[in-house]
């Protein structure tokens, strides 16, 4: 099942993992009393990595479709759209790491 | 936000009406234009602008540790009453009426005895939950002396609607006298 | 193989003899999706009426200030039940019912993948709902709010059985949601008409696929939360008690982790109906099919990232609020994409108005309004002001009534001719529409204002000097107008069933497969299964229906008194197996009754009866496979049109295997929620300082035996593949699984007093979960050995062995994080 549906799911799966991870880092940083600067840097780096990974996934998906040429399926093409949407979602949902107070 | 919502609502319904009544007027619009225009171009900038505004405003309202520490009043909730105490005045007895100094921010430190309650004075700002095992802080400011109504905003059992309280904001000069003198 | 072609009438009779359910007592044994889909919908409508009466009581109470009509005690039961009934007993079962009835028809199948599971789900729903309503009638309804926030719902503050009724009744009902989710996913992916690749699937199939996947992930956190809270109430295990290392916020996380996706679980099927209805009345195919698929996938994921927006006021750091606020706002975008796809479809078609379209317009007006207030509420500063006020009441009714009830009414009027085979006579639907939309807006629009004026939710009365009087009175007045509208709809439905003119087939000239059959539909749906060569939403259903009725298509015959339908390759839609479905039986009813014994025993605290119920349920489930299966390998068999494929038992890629994998996903989600809960409490909850806990080594021993089981089951499988007896290794696997379960049970006993601190009760829960799953692995492997001895398993018919391996491995893998967390918790302390 996943063998065929992955193009549709992978972009947002990366988003979901990153979302969970950032939320956990935010919580743990406060719990363990990290220095605010270090906490902020970790969060921003995490968000940047997540966005970079999603872009990487998109590049791979586009390359995959190019390589397959006419053999690429509808799922591959729709999957590209889903990953683009996931990247946009990552940029917007992770933007608060730049600004918002992490522990108050 | 309100006028923006009205405008968007009118736009969507007008497009719907036009599409039903005069489809020819819109027939030249391509599917891609509908999706990109309506689904992305229209909402995305609005949402981003709203999110940035809300985030900045939210930061502004936070009870951040800053240079001038505001007064800290403790609000303790139990079924079905509030008890306010004033640790910054040594002998102040707890009260059932919340006494606030007018014209300056105060931090209300909210705790709960039994079940979840929520501290809310609608005219002064947002609400914060009182949760057993947790301590929450909300920063409020009453600009003018006067009486404000407060309620419990989280359902807390049979006496939920009776769990209101009164908040009195006093001019700074009278404030210490009031809580010092109140039994 | 040549086959004598029957006349359409003779074919109909032959198929009806196989698929039909006779009247009278035999109806209790029905497993057919036509019957069960309708039953789900009828029962859901009954619950909707009950919920509506409760709403009327609420509005009667709130119409005037200082009202003494019903006191706070009763009022609390009523508003709790209104929310509970509408969400759990109306909305979800209603769309499940429609999907159960409609999906096989739209996809070109003769039934769902697991007809007996449908029936079992229905009985669970009916019995669970009856427990809730019965308790209400006797005056013991839940009274802690439909959200059941603890500690208010804990044993201390709600000592009676009221909260147990909720936790157990709803968990009972949720069984039907999980079974429906598994069944819908498998049916959509595997049981479409030949040639219907995923690209050609009608968009409703996509919507239901995504919805079912969301149910699979969304419901387990709630089920877990309910189990934990019930364990706290019944056995004093302190998962949520802040004085013993628990945290009330854990309940809120688990509840809203379900509760927010739930809103989209309700909306997406409705949107799927709109995406089916609107193109029919626009007389052109839906635009932007691909963009809509992306939008619903995006919505599904995003909806799991915004649960905390129900918790903006619990004191969570601003950054976390920022994440969830942004995700909440963002979900408006896929919604907007769909709204404009619909408007674009209408605009580029040749729209005509009829009754269903009227309700679609109602949907647009109400839902767009609710969506806009939703964006407002996503903004933290506004939310902290409006949260738990009537503004939220207004918003949620705009979203749910706009996003579900209006589309459902449109769908009802759209498909009523399909259910009845008749057309409407009196046109009560038009005045009903006006009553509903005027009444609705009068009731709920004003609540935005009362909310902004500071009226909090869930108060049974209010003094008259706060300026809310006339707004509330008008809201109540509007509520009664809306009720009259719904009553008219009901009358209209009854009238159409009773007096409607026998109408022509397919009155709306729709192009989806459910109209390519006689109406009301025969028990077997299609006398022959169609071939689909284009997107299955603009077919010429009239001529196709006639050809299929004549048996011109796949499986256009009755064979061996078996209920046969086709399974296809998931992507391409090429037929790859004949699925032989089980025939009607009383087993689902008996199994559900045994399950009811289990739940009622827990509810009334008659604990000796609980294991009896559990054993009876499991025992009955083990009897289910007896009616199915083959004792010899038949090879490919004729499916018509010159093609032949094997039966499902002889292919690896069959629906049973798929369903097990899908069920394992739901189970893993439940377990992940438990692991999350354990980590959460260890990190967040107060009272975790102090003495360290002893490490408990028993689960580590269990892990070793479980890994041994995984190795043994592989040997069994390879022996079976070589045509030798796998029995020895299977029984060895079962024995190892039994040892694992025993080790976990000893581990729980060794823990000591699990009521002392959440640290211990969490480990208790983890070990209990592992013990149960090792027990399941043991039963399945032993059962496989028994099936092999009965001749039902061969090198080709090896599904049972694959299932044994899946669940043996699952039990072993589950022990790894359990053991890891044991080590972690042993270091986390917790004062006793």
């Amino acid at each position: 099942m996943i063998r065929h549906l992955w193009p549709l799911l992978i972009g947002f799966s990366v988003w979901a993992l990153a979302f969970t991870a950032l939320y956990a880092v935010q919580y743990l940083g406060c719990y363990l009393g990290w220095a605010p600067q270090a906490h902020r840097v970790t969060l921003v780096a995490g968000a940047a990595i997540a966005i970079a990974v999603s872009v990487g996934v998109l590049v791979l998906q586009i390359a995959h479709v190019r390589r397959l040429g006419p053999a690429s399926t509808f799922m591959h093409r729709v999957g590209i759209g889903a990953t683009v949407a996931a990247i946009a979602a990552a940029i917007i949902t992770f933007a608060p790491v730049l600004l918002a107070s992490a522990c108050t | 936000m309100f006028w923006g919502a009205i405008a968007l609502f009118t736009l969507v319904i007008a497009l719907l009406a036009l599409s039903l009544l005069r489809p020819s007027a819109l027939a030249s619009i391509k599917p891609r234009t509908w999706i990109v225009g309506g689904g992305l171009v229209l909402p995305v900038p609005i949402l981003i602008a709203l999110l940035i505004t809300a985030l900045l405003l939210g930061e502004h309202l936070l009870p951040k540790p800053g240079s001038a520490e505001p007064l800290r009043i403790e609000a303790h909730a139990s079924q079905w009453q509030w008890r306010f105490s004033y640790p910054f005045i040594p002998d102040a007895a707890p009260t059932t009426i919340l006494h606030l100094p007018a014209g300056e921010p105060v931090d209300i430190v909210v705790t709960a005895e039994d079940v979840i309650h929520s501290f809310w004075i609608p005219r002064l700002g947002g609400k914060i939950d009182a949760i057993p095992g947790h301590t929450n802080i909300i920063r409020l400011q009453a600009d003018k002396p006067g009486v404000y109504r407060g309620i419990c905003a989280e359902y807390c059992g049979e006496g939920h609607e009776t769990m209101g309280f009164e908040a009195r904001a006093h001019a700074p000069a009278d404030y210490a006298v009031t809580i010092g003198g109140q039994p | 193989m040549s086959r004598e072609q029957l006349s359409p009438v003779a074919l109909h009779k032959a198929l009806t003899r196989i698929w039909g359910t006779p009247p009278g007592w035999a109806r209790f044994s029905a497993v057919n999706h036509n019957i069960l889909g309708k039953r789900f919908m009828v029962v859901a409508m009954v619950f909707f009426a009950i919920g509506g009466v409760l709403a009327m009581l609420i509005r009667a109470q709130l119409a005037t200030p200082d009202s003494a009509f019903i006191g706070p005690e009763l009022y609390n039961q009523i508003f709790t039940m209104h929310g509970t009934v509408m969400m759990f007993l109306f909305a979800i079962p209603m769309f499940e019912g429609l999907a159960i009835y409609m999906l096989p028809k739209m996809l070109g199948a003769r039934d769902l993948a697991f007809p007996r599971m449908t029936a079992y789900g229905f009985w669970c729903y009916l019995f669970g709902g009856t427990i809730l309503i019965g308790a209400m009638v006797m005056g013991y309804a839940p009274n802690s709010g439909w959200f059941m926030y603890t500690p208010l719902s804990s044993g201390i503050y709600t000592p009676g059985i009221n909260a147990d009724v909720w936790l157990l009744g709803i968990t009972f009902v949720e069984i039907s949601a999980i079974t429906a989710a598994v069944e819908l996913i498998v049916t959509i992916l595997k049981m479409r008409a030949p040639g219907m690749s995923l690209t050609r699937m009608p968009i409703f199939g996509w919507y239901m696929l995504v919805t079912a996947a969301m149910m699979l992930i969304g419901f387990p956190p709630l089920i877990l939360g309910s189990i934990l809270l019930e364990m706290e109430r019944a056995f004093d295990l302190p998962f949520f008690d802040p004085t013993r290392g628990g945290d009330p916020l854990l309940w809120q996380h688990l509840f809203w982790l379900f509760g927010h996706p739930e809103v989209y679980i309700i909306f997406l099927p409705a949107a799927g109906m709109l995406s089916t209805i609107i193109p029919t009345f626009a007389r052109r195919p839906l635009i932007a099919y691909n963009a809509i698929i992306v939008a619903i996938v995006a919505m599904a994921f995003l909806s799991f990232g915004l649960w905390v927006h129900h918790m903006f006021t619990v004191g969570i750091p601003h950054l976390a609020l920022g994440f969830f606020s942004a995700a909440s706002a963002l979900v408006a975008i896929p919604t907007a994409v769909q709204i404009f796809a619909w408007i674009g479809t209408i605009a580029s078609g040749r729209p005509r108005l009829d009754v269903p379209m009227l309700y679609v317009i109602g949907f647009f007006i109400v839902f767009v309004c609710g969506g806009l207030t939703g964006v407002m509420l996503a903004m933290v500063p506004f939310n902290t002001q409006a949260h738990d006020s009537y503004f939220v009441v207004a918003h949620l009714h705009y979203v749910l009534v706009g996003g579900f009830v209006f589309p459902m009414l449109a769908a009802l009027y759209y498909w009523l001719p399909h259910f009845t085979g008749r057309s409407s006579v009196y046109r009560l639907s038009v005045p009903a529409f006006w009553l509903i939309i005027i009444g609705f807006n009068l009731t709920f629009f004003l609540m935005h204002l009362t909310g902004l004026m500071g009226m909090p939710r869930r108060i049974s009365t209010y003094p008259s000097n706060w300026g809310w009087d006339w707004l509330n009175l008008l809201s109540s007045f509007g509520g009664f107008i809306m009720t009259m509208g719904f009553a008219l709809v009901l009358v209209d439905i009854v009238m159409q069933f009773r007096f409607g003119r026998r109408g022509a087939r397919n009155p709306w000239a729709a192009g989806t497969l459910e109209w390519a059959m006689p109406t009301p539909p025969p028990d077997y749906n299609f006398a022959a299964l169609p071939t689909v060569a284009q997107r299955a939403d603009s077919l010429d259903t009239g001529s196709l229906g006639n050809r299929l009725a004549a048996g011109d298509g796949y499986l256009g015959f009755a064979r061996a008194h078996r209920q046969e339908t086709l399974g296809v390759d998931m992507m391409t839609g090429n037929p790859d197996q004949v699925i032989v479905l089980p025939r009607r039986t009383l087993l689902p009813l008996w199994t559900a009754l045994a399950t009811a014994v289990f739940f009622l025993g827990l509810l009334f605290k008659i604990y000796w009866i609980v294991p009896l119920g559990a054993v009876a349920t499991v025992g009955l489930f083990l009897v289910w496979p007896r009616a199915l299966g083959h004792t010899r390998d038949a090879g490919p068999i004729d499916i018509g049109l010159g093609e032949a494929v094997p039966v499902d038992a002889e292919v690896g890629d069959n629906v049973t295997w798929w369903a097990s994998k899908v069920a394992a996903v739901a189970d893993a989600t439940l377990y992940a929620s438990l692991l999350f809960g354990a980590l959460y409490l260890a990190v967040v909850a107060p009272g975790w300082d102090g003495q360290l806990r002893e490490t408990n080594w028993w689960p580590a021993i269990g892990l070793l035996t479980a890994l041994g089981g995984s190795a043994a089951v592989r040997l069994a499988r390879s022996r079976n593949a070589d045509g030798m007896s796998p029995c020895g290794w299977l029984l060895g696997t079962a024995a190892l699984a039994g040892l694992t379960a025993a080790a976990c049970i000893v581990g729980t006993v060794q823990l000591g007093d699990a009521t002392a601190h959440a640290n211990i009760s969490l480990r208790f829960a983890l070990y209990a979960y592992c013990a149960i799953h090792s027990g399941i692995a043991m039963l399945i492997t032993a059962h496989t050995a028994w099936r092999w001895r009965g001749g039902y398993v061969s090198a080709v018919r090896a599904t049972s062995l694959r299932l044994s391996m899946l669940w043996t491995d699952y039990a072993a893998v589950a022990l790894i994080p359990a053991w890891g967390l044991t080590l972690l918790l042993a270091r986390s302390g917790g004062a006793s």
Side-chain angles (χ1 to χ4, degrees), chain C residues 790-806:
Chain C
Y792 292 104
V793 180
S794 73
V796 181
R797 290 170 279 119
T799 309
S800 303
L801 277 149
R802 303 179 80 187
L803 299 187
S804 305
M805 197 168 101
L806 175 70

Side-chain angles (χ1 to χ4, degrees), chain C residues 133 177 190 217 239 316 385 494 527:
Chain C
I133 301 299
K190 284 302 290 178
I217 311 287
F239 298 106
I316 285 176
Q385 185 58 239
V494 175

Side-chain angles (χ1 to χ4, degrees), chain C residues 425-447:
Chain C
V425 250
Y426 294 104
R427 293 254 155 199
L428 290 177
S429 44
V430 178
F433 169 77
W434 290 110
L435 285 175
I436 292 173
I437 194 148
I438 291 170
F440 175 84
N441 283 294
L442 190 56
T443 310
F444 292 105
F445 191 78
L446 300 179
M447 285 187 191

Side-chain angles (χ1 to χ4, degrees), chain A residues 2-29:
Chain A
I2 295 301
R3 194 157 44 95
H4 296 293
L5 292 178
W6 69 267
L8 202 52
L9 303 176
I10 185 158
F12 271 104
S13 300
V14 171
W15 173 83
L17 279 178
F19 190 89
T20 318
L22 284 175
Y23 187 36
V25 167
Q26 178 264 320
Y27 236 122
L28 285 174

Side-chain angles (χ1 to χ4, degrees), chain C residues 591-675:
Chain C
T591 316
L593 283 171
T595 317
V597 169
F598 172 81
F599 278 104
L600 288 172
L602 281 173
L603 180 59
F604 293 112
K605 308 201 187 305
I606 315 171
Y607 291 122
W608 61 268
I609 212 174
V610 173
L612 295 185
V615 168
T617 307
V618 173
L620 282 164
F621 267 124
L622 291 177
V623 178
W624 282 37
R626 285 183 59 173
L628 286 176
H630 310 269
T631 46
R632 60 178 192 88
D633 298 335
I637 57 171
D638 175 34
I639 56 170
L641 304 183
E643 293 182 42
V645 291
V647 294
D648 52 350
E650 294 175 25
V651 289
D653 203 19
N654 61 29
V655 288
T656 311
W657 172 240
W658 281 61
S660 306
K661 286 197 291 187
V662 173
V665 171
D667 199 350
T669 313
L670 183 99
Y671 191 44
S673 310
L674 177 60
L675 296 173

Side-chain angles (χ1 to χ4, degrees), chain B residues 59 127 129 134 136 155 161, chain C residues 143 247 313 318 385 387 460:
Chain B
E59 274 303 299
K127 53 182 80 65
D129 291 355
H134 290 258
N136 283 330
Y155 172 63
E161 66 261 17
Chain C
N143 55 0
D247 189 351
T313 65
H318 197 227
Q385 185 58 239
H387 179 74
S460 68

